[in-house]
Amino acid sequence: MQVERLPSGAIPKPVWLWHSRTSLTQTEVDLAWQAFLRRFDIEHTFRMLKQTLGWTTPKLRSPDAADRWTWLLLATYTQLHLVRNLSVDLRRPWEKPRPAQRLSPSRIRRGFRNLRPQLTCPARVPKPSRPGPGRPAGQPNHQPATRHDVHTVTSTDKQKPEHGKKTKPSNPRPRRTG
């Protein structure tokens, strides 16, 4: 197989894929390794969304909020993908230089702060205003955060101490485990 993006003389490392079914056709083998590579791409995308873009950082209260946050991060990832040709490679000292078409989303994100002033903004300038009044003083919050039970463990040991040994007074508060 001839791959155009590898430098001349570079030999790709073998990717081992184990499959337990015997008597596969060539088409099924090709489908299996392509699915394996696609899954690898998807897993690394999720890793980048979690670690770099903070997918799991906020403590969201509802599934709808989690869905909105996910769609927002996917839009952010798409923006990073679209501006990769405009971004400058701000690499760390140990990273090798790469062409703009081959920058990772993390490296594009590093250069995004320099790119942002050059982009057009479809929104109008915000009108000057004072902040809203917020919740009036003395009014309770009508949508408090749900509280989850903290699992506690209470000691049930009631063994008698051995002769001549003193026991520690037991702590009246239960130990928190969660």
Side-chain angles (χ1 to χ4, degrees), residues 17-95:
L17 174 65
W18 183 84
H19 198 282
S20 63
R21 207 171 119 205
T22 59
S23 69
L24 290 176
T25 65
Q26 184 63 33
T27 307
E28 292 172 328
V29 170
D30 287 342
L31 181 65
W33 73 260
Q34 289 171 353
F36 171 77
L37 292 178
R38 180 69 181 139
R39 180 179 171 198
F40 181 82
D41 289 344
I42 290 171
E43 287 176 0
H44 280 274
T45 300
F46 281 132
R47 182 176 145 250
M48 198 271 304
L49 286 173
K50 288 179 179 179
Q51 293 179 350
T52 306
L53 298 181
W55 189 17
T56 55
T57 301
K59 306 296 183 220
L60 303 171
R61 293 184 182 187
S62 70
D64 293 336
D67 287 344
R68 285 191 301 270
W69 181 248
T70 298
W71 282 110
L72 182 66
L73 281 181
L74 289 174
T76 304
Y77 181 77
T78 303
Q79 282 184 343
L80 288 174
H81 184 72
L82 291 173
V83 299
R84 73 178 181 271
N85 290 333
L86 303 173
S87 182
V88 177
D89 186 14
L90 297 178
R91 62 186 180 90
R92 296 197 171 113
W94 58 86
E95 294 173 335

Side-chain angles (χ1 to χ4, degrees), residues 114-157:
N114 298 333
L115 182 65
R116 174 65 186 96
Q118 300 170 11
L119 300 175
T120 59
C121 182
R124 285 184 253 146
V125 177
K127 296 178 184 176
S129 66
R130 289 178 289 172
R135 187 173 352 129
Q139 290 287 329
N141 184 1
H142 294 293
Q143 290 182 332
T146 55
R147 301 290 180 185
H148 300 285
D149 183 34
V150 176
H151 300 287
T152 58
V153 177
T154 56
S155 178
T156 56
D157 292 341

Side-chain angles (χ1 to χ4, degrees), residues 158-176:
K158 294 190 178 178
Q159 296 177 352
K160 293 181 180 178
E162 293 180 25
H163 183 68
K165 291 192 176 181
K166 294 183 180 179
T167 60
K168 248 201 262 183
S170 64
N171 189 354
R173 295 181 58 190
R175 182 172 56 97
R176 292 176 182 248

